[in-house]
Structure formats: structure tokens, C-alpha cells
Amino acid sequence: MTVAIQTLSTLPNKEIVFDFGKGTNVLHYVVGISYWKFSFDNTDQRIDTITLNLTSNSAGSQVTTSIAAQLQGGDHKMGYKNSSVTLSCVAILNDDNRNYTFGSGLGIPNGGRSSPITLCSSTPSVSSAFLSGFSLRYSGSKHHVQTIQTTAGVATDGSTGYITSQANMNDHSNNWAQNPTIDGGLIYVDKSQTGLLAQALPNQQAASPVSVKFPGTSLSAAAVMLQSLTVSYGSGHDHDIKHVGGGAPNWTVGGDTVVLDSAQAFMSDDSHNSQQNSDSRVSLIVLGIPA
């Protein structure tokens, strides 16, 4: 059995292909969001819809993922010259291993949880959920935004797991997203396995590099998955949006260290208003494959 990781960046509303090489066979996989940035080209707008949804399937050595995304304010739709999505795929290749569980849940409502996922054991070395999509929509008309929150968590009961959800969008006039949801993925590894390692990186708001160490283990590859994003203009403030998003856009691997170019959530309009950093943050899971 081989565990493999690939990361690809693209424009929204495109299809990407993770190809793990000739002669390999993808048995199990998960695809998660590492980073997203949605923008209007020449305007800022009050918002009615922000969504990101992934549809994936596998055949042979490949996992194909279609990306559907919306940033919409009335008749104004997302521009593409300043928008992007970075996704990471973790796959088990060639030989099955019952000590790994990869799971997913779609359309999980705020405060809810996914259908039960049967776990490989009750003694994990890795037990991590991450975002693979979200849907935030005001009802009826567009509004300003004060705060956006999307979070994928994990809850376990013995050898049963669930992906949990927090999802909200609101302004300062008591307008809230109606029926907000997330899509989520789950990676769960029994403690007997050492082929995939994980380090949590909670509550980050850093525009400069962030280092994550896997002490004593040289890594051959790494991926960063977005678990939670909260971005806010701050208490008592709401504004239009021109740019919004967050996560980790790029990273490098050297020895036992993964260096993220940045780890942050961001939001801004065209009038020099931007997120309140003390109220904005991302939580990430950094996955590593030993060399």
C-alpha cells in the first residue's frame, strides 16, 4: 500500500485531474480545500451567494474533481482574473489497508453532523476533518457582510465518526444566511500506521511564512487542508466585498519541516476596508508522508 498526496491550483468552475502515475490504481481518496480566493473584477458588492462545491470521481491512476463556485451580488458575478482555488488530494494506491478510513459528508447543516462513518479503529494517530465545500446564501436579496464562518470538525463514538458543521454569514442588521451548509472530508488512521502523519495548526492569521515541524521525520510530501475559516470586518461593522477567502496558498517541504507561505483569512471592499485580524483566522491540518 502507498499513501500519496497531490496539490493543484486552478480557476473556479474548472475541472482538474490528480494523476498518481502510470501503473497505479487509486483505491480510496479524499479531496479538500487548501485555499480559496473569490473576487469581483472591477467592483465591490453586497452579497447574496458565496458557494464552493467539489464533485470528484476516480478511475485507474486518476482522481478528477469538478469545481463549482459562486460569488454573487445581484446581477454581479465572480471575476476570474483574481480568483483561484487550491485543492489537495490524499489517495491510497494499489493495495488496500483497513487501518485507514477516508470519509465525506455533503450538505451538512450548521450545528449538524454527517451520516455515521465507520472508522477503522477507536485508537487513531490521525483523526482530522477538513472543508471540501460550503454554501452561504442570504434569502431574498443581497446584503453587506460582517462575518463569514465555515468549520468542519470531527466527533467520534468508539469506532463511529461524524463530520460536524459550523456555517454562518451575517451582516450588522440581523440578516443571516439561510440554511448554510458545509461539505467535509475525514481522514482517520489507526495508531499502528506511520505512512501518513498530521499536525494541527489552529487559529492562524499570518500573512508571513509559518513553519510546521514533524520532529525526527524527514518528509517526502505534504498537504495542507483548511479545517476552519472565520473572517470578519469586526463587531459593529459590515461592508461590501471585493475579495474574500483564505487558507494556505503555497508551501514547501524541507527535511522535517513544512513552510507555509501564509495562513490567513481575508476580506476587503473597494473603500480600503479589510478584515479585522483579531476577529479573523484559519485552522489547518498539515499532512505529511515520511520519506
Side-chain angles (χ1 to χ4, degrees):
M1 185 211 73
T2 300
V3 182
I5 286 173
Q6 284 193 13
T7 299
L8 295 172
S9 297
T10 186
L11 298 173
N13 298 322
K14 297 289 186 179
E15 183 179 271
I16 58 174
V17 178
F18 302 95
D19 193 332
F20 293 94
K22 185 177 180 180
T24 62
N25 186 32
V26 176
L27 299 180
H28 307 286
Y29 68 90
V30 285
V31 178
I33 301 166
S34 303
Y35 173 86
W36 63 278
K37 178 182 179 181
F38 295 170
S39 302
F40 293 111
D41 280 342
N42 299 308
T43 182
D44 58 3
Q45 289 292 318
R46 288 175 290 163
I47 298 299
D48 52 65
T49 302
I50 305 177
T51 65
L52 175 58
N53 301 107
L54 310 179
T55 302
S56 298
N57 58 78
S58 67
S61 66
Q62 297 182 340
V63 175
T64 301
T65 299
S66 297
I67 303 161
Q70 287 182 285
L71 174 67
Q72 189 157 333
D75 294 332
H76 296 272
K77 298 183 179 181
M78 184 192 305
Y80 291 101
K81 63 183 181 182
N82 290 311
S83 298
S84 65
V85 179
T86 300
L87 305 179
S88 290
C89 178
V90 184
I92 294 177
L93 308 177
N94 298 332
D95 298 310
D96 207 351
N97 189 312
R98 298 182 182 275
N99 291 312
Y100 288 74
T101 299
F102 290 174
S104 63
L106 302 178
I108 308 169
N110 176 47
R113 64 184 190 179
S114 69
S115 298
I117 299 167
T118 300
L119 304 174
C120 57
S121 75
S122 58
T123 54
S125 61
V126 178
S127 177
S128 298
F130 51 86
L131 290 163
S132 58
F134 50 84
S135 178
L136 304 170
R137 303 173 189 270
Y138 285 127
S139 177
S141 61
K142 61 183 183 178
H143 299 285
H144 288 126
V145 172
Q146 176 177 314
T147 300
I148 291 169
Q149 181 190 22
T150 55
T151 299
V154 59
T156 60
D157 181 6
S159 58
T160 301
Y162 305 87
I163 301 166
T164 63
S165 167
Q166 292 181 315
N168 283 301
M169 177 171 68
N170 67 281
D171 66 5
H172 188 53
S173 301
N174 207 32
N175 294 296
W176 292 80
Q178 299 299 300
N179 304 313
T181 64
I182 65 142
D183 301 335
L186 173 68
I187 294 176
Y188 190 98
V189 182
D190 181 71
K191 67 178 183 180
S192 66
Q193 302 299 298
T194 58
L196 183 64
L197 308 176
Q199 295 278 10
L201 192 61
N203 299 326
Q204 300 293 303
Q205 186 64 10
S208 55
V210 178
S211 295
V212 179
K213 286 189 173 293
F214 290 76
T217 303
S218 183
L219 301 176
S220 62
V224 179
M225 301 285 209
L226 180 61
Q227 295 182 304
S228 176
L229 179 147
T230 299
V231 64
S232 179
Y233 283 123
S235 178
H237 300 278
D238 58 9
H239 301 287
D240 289 356
I241 285 179
K242 184 171 186 179
H243 307 293
V244 62
N250 298 287
W251 54 89
T252 57
V253 179
D256 68 350
T257 303
V258 182
V259 180
L260 286 60
D261 287 0
S262 61
Q264 62 177 332
F266 55 84
M267 183 165 62
S268 62
D269 66 5
D270 236 354
S271 302
H272 307 292
N273 297 297
S274 61
Q275 77 281 346
Q276 181 70 38
N277 283 327
S278 61
D279 294 328
S280 303
R281 57 199 171 272
V282 294
S283 292
L284 307 163
I285 184 72
V286 182
L287 302 166
I289 295 178

